[in-house]
Amino acid sequence: VQLAESGGGLVQAGGSPRLSCAASGFIFDDYAIAWFRQAPGKEREGISCIRSTDGETYYAPSMKGRFTISRDNAKNMVFLQVNSLEPEDTAVYYCAASGTTSFHTDYFRQNYYNYWGQGTQVTVSS
């Protein structure tokens, strides 16, 4: 099982990178995929989740508006479009896969997620 994030790096404030998550080793169509991030000195927090069955998306309240999640089941990939980056967005961004079918609206409960990637560092310069 592997989840591999890419697309991070040093980005100027205001930039809009697209992060990618490539999955392998499990039945991708059966898993919800989420993006999390962890800023220096802070706990890991959820950004967005996309379900497997119908592609419905969910966003953490503080993340609505600047992040867009999407998935391509044919390519076993999930994407996170990030717009108008701010220095406060500097963090390691992770994708994670969950086989849970009943989130009970708690889409960012981390122990629901079976598999995690190693993360991609996004550093925003002002």
Side-chain angles (χ1 to χ4, degrees), residues 50-100:
I50 185 165
R51 292 201 318 196
S52 57
T53 50
D54 54 11
E56 192 162 352
T57 59
Y58 304 91
Y59 295 88
S62 62
M63 306 294 179
K64 288 182 180 179
R66 293 193 302 120
F67 297 88
T68 303
I69 193 171
S70 60
R71 69 189 288 161
D72 184 339
N73 285 350
K75 296 182 179 179
N76 284 12
M77 295 195 71
V78 174
F79 306 98
L80 184 70
Q81 178 67 47
V82 187
N83 296 319
S84 302
L85 276 175
E86 302 168 355
E88 293 73 25
D89 294 315
T90 293
V92 179
Y93 286 72
Y94 300 91
C95 62
S98 173
T100 299

Side-chain angles (χ1 to χ4, degrees), residues 3 26-36 48-56 58 69 71 73 78 95-103 107 112-115:
L3 291 170
F26 62 98
I27 302 174
F28 184 75
D29 293 9
D30 289 347
Y31 284 74
I33 306 294
W35 284 94
F36 293 80
S48 183
C49 174
I50 185 165
R51 292 201 318 196
S52 57
T53 50
D54 54 11
E56 192 162 352
Y58 304 91
I69 193 171
R71 69 189 288 161
N73 285 350
V78 174
C95 62
S98 173
T100 299
T101 56
S102 299
F103 283 95
Y107 296 99
Y112 280 165
Y113 289 84
N114 309 89
Y115 309 124

Side-chain angles (χ1 to χ4, degrees), residues 1 12 18 42-43 62 69 85:
V1 172
Q12 284 193 332
R18 187 175 79 155
K42 295 186 177 181
E43 293 187 353
S62 62
I69 193 171
L85 276 175

